[in-house]
Amino acid sequence: KYIKSNRYSRVIGADLSPSMLKESYENCLKEGISSPELIRCDSAKLPLKNNAIDAIHAGAAMHCWPRLNESLSEIYRVLKPGGAFYATTFFTDMFSSGSLKNERDRQGFYMFKSEDEIRELMSNAGFQGENGGVSSVRREGQRCAIVKAIKFPLPGNMNASTILF
């Protein structure tokens, strides 16, 4: 999707899982598009320079990050001023059995209890206040959270060039 948009001069795919990186590569081949740069890394230790990325997309991923606070701080660190972080994740009520509460389960998943909890995590990572940025979290249906955060200060003229997904 990001490669096809031609909005970015560089697209990087990052994941800790080699099988997910392989799947990304194979999907690009199937769609007949060039593969993004693929890097295996921990979201809590991104191998990127400070203020280097225009946008980061984490689709259905935040609940899988074992070190969530560190990962969100890393995202803030690598985003350029004016850079955006987009994410989707899930709330605890996704599982009607109540087997996943507001804590990590045995598989390492973390389900969020509310929009406010995610806003607080974003704020703690730096997406807050006059000099930090702004974030919004909205519930989509009963189970999904849509997160958008912008790192301040916003530059006068933003030209997107690099996205990490």
Side-chain angles (χ1 to χ4, degrees):
K1 177 178 173 180
Y2 300 107
I3 294 170
K4 287 181 179 180
S5 77
N6 291 319
R7 290 184 58 207
Y8 303 96
S9 61
R10 183 177 180 202
V11 176
I12 303 167
D15 203 297
L16 186 59
S17 165
S19 62
M20 290 305 296
L21 293 171
K22 181 180 178 189
E23 185 176 324
S24 294
Y25 176 77
E26 290 171 353
N27 286 339
C28 288
L29 288 178
K30 286 178 192 174
E31 293 187 36
I33 57 175
S34 60
S35 174
E37 191 176 331
L38 298 172
I39 56 174
R40 182 172 185 246
C41 65
D42 181 346
S43 59
K45 290 189 175 193
L46 296 172
L48 302 164
K49 294 180 182 178
N50 295 349
N51 305 307
I53 302 294
D54 294 292
I56 296 175
H57 175 258
M62 285 175 58
H63 56 278
C64 297
W65 295 340
R67 294 178 295 160
L68 181 59
N69 291 322
E70 293 92 335
S71 296
L72 293 172
S73 293
E74 275 292 274
I75 287 166
Y76 186 84
R77 179 186 67 79
V78 303
L79 280 175
K80 291 179 181 177
F85 171 57
Y86 303 96
T88 56
T89 193
F90 304 105
F91 291 110
T92 53
D93 56 3
M94 179 175 178
F95 299 92
S96 59
S97 69
S99 62
L100 291 176
K101 300 295 183 196
N102 192 19
E103 58 188 48
R104 293 211 174 272
D105 76 353
R106 284 177 287 209
Q107 288 79 39
F109 288 100
Y110 183 89
M111 300 294 153
F112 302 94
K113 63 183 176 183
S114 69
E115 294 93 328
D116 287 339
E117 179 184 11
I118 298 171
R119 281 188 202 99
E120 183 176 345
L121 287 163
M122 299 306 295
S123 177
N124 291 342
F127 294 101
Q128 66 174 349
E130 189 175 305
N131 296 320
V134 64
S135 65
S136 67
V137 180
R138 69 179 167 85
R139 187 178 286 258
E140 188 70 29
Q142 293 295 312
R143 300 171 181 101
C144 296
I146 311 292
V147 180
K148 178 181 179 184
I150 307 293
K151 181 177 179 177
F152 281 167
L154 292 174
N157 183 11
M158 259 179 46
N159 291 321
S161 61
T162 305
I163 184 166
L164 174 70
F165 72 96

